[in-house]
Amino acid sequence: DELVGRDSLLWKVETIGDAFMIASGLKHTEGELGGGLQNRKSTARAAVLFGKSALAEARTLTMPNSMQCTIRVGVHTGDVCSGVVGTRMPRYCLFGDTVNTASRMESSGVPGRMQISEATHALVCGDDSDFCWDERGYVEVKGKGKLKTYLLREGDSGAD
C-alpha cells in the first residue's frame, strides 16, 4: 500500500490470494493528465515504476522458510470498464480485456522479473526511456494465443 501511495496516478484495486492488482490513471480525467498519447505514456510509466519498486521491495524480504521473496510483475495498457459490485459488501472492480491481459502478463511471467505487453512497451520505450527491456518473444498466453512480450532487463529492477 505504501508503494501505491507514492504516486497519485496509482490505485490499489484489490488483493486476491497472492496477487496485488493496481491500476494507473483511473482517478484522473484526460484534461488533468494532458490527454491522448501523453496521458497513456504517463500512466503506463507509473505502472512500470510501481512494478520496479515492488520487485526491489520483494528482494529485501525473507519468507518464513528462509528463502528470498520472489514475485512476478505483469503490466498491460488499455481501456477498462469499472463499477461497484455487490450490495452487502460492495467493492470497486475493473473489467475487460485489459485487466485479463495484465493478469496473464503476471501469470505467464518469470519469477523476479517484470513482463509487459507489446502495447505497454510501445508507450514506455523511446528516446527518453529510463527502462531497458529484453524482448522475450512470443509467449503463449491463456485465452489470448501468442503475444509478444518484454522483460525488464536484469539489473534494471531497482526503484528509481
Side-chain angles (χ1 to χ4, degrees), residues 129-149:
S129 179
D130 296 334
F131 311 114
C132 296
W133 301 97
D134 294 324
E135 184 178 321
R136 187 171 183 201
Y138 288 89
V139 175
E140 186 67 36
V141 176
K142 182 180 174 186
K144 303 291 295 175
K146 291 187 180 225
L147 296 180
K148 191 174 189 179
T149 67

Side-chain angles (χ1 to χ4, degrees), residues 93-138:
C93 295
L94 297 179
F95 307 95
D97 187 59
T98 298
V99 176
N100 293 335
T101 303
S103 175
R104 300 296 189 232
M105 288 295 102
E106 181 273 329
S107 63
S108 66
V110 177
R113 304 284 299 273
M114 181 186 327
Q115 178 171 254
I116 65 171
S117 65
E118 191 169 20
T120 300
H121 184 263
L123 294 170
V124 299
C125 279
D127 297 336
D128 60 345
S129 179
D130 296 334
F131 311 114
C132 296
W133 301 97
D134 294 324
E135 184 178 321
R136 187 171 183 201
Y138 288 89

Side-chain angles (χ1 to χ4, degrees), residues 13-95:
V13 177
E14 60 190 345
T15 306
I16 300 175
D18 64 352
F20 186 91
M21 180 185 283
I22 65 111
S24 181
L26 294 179
K27 300 187 289 186
H28 299 276
T29 66
E30 271 195 16
E32 291 174 317
L33 296 176
L37 181 60
Q38 190 56 42
N39 176 19
R40 289 190 303 274
K41 284 184 174 186
S42 62
T43 58
R45 178 179 169 75
V48 168
L49 286 172
F50 171 82
K52 285 179 67 170
S53 295
L55 286 165
E57 184 66 26
R59 285 187 182 92
T60 70
L61 303 175
T62 303
M63 304 297 285
N65 63 2
S66 300
M67 301 291 290
Q68 180 185 32
C69 180
T70 303
I71 64 172
R72 293 184 308 248
V73 175
V75 181
H76 179 62
T77 305
D79 295 329
V80 297
C81 293
S82 63
V84 176
V85 175
T87 54
R88 196 165 37 107
M89 292 187 60
R91 65 186 187 119
Y92 181 71
C93 295
L94 297 179
F95 307 95

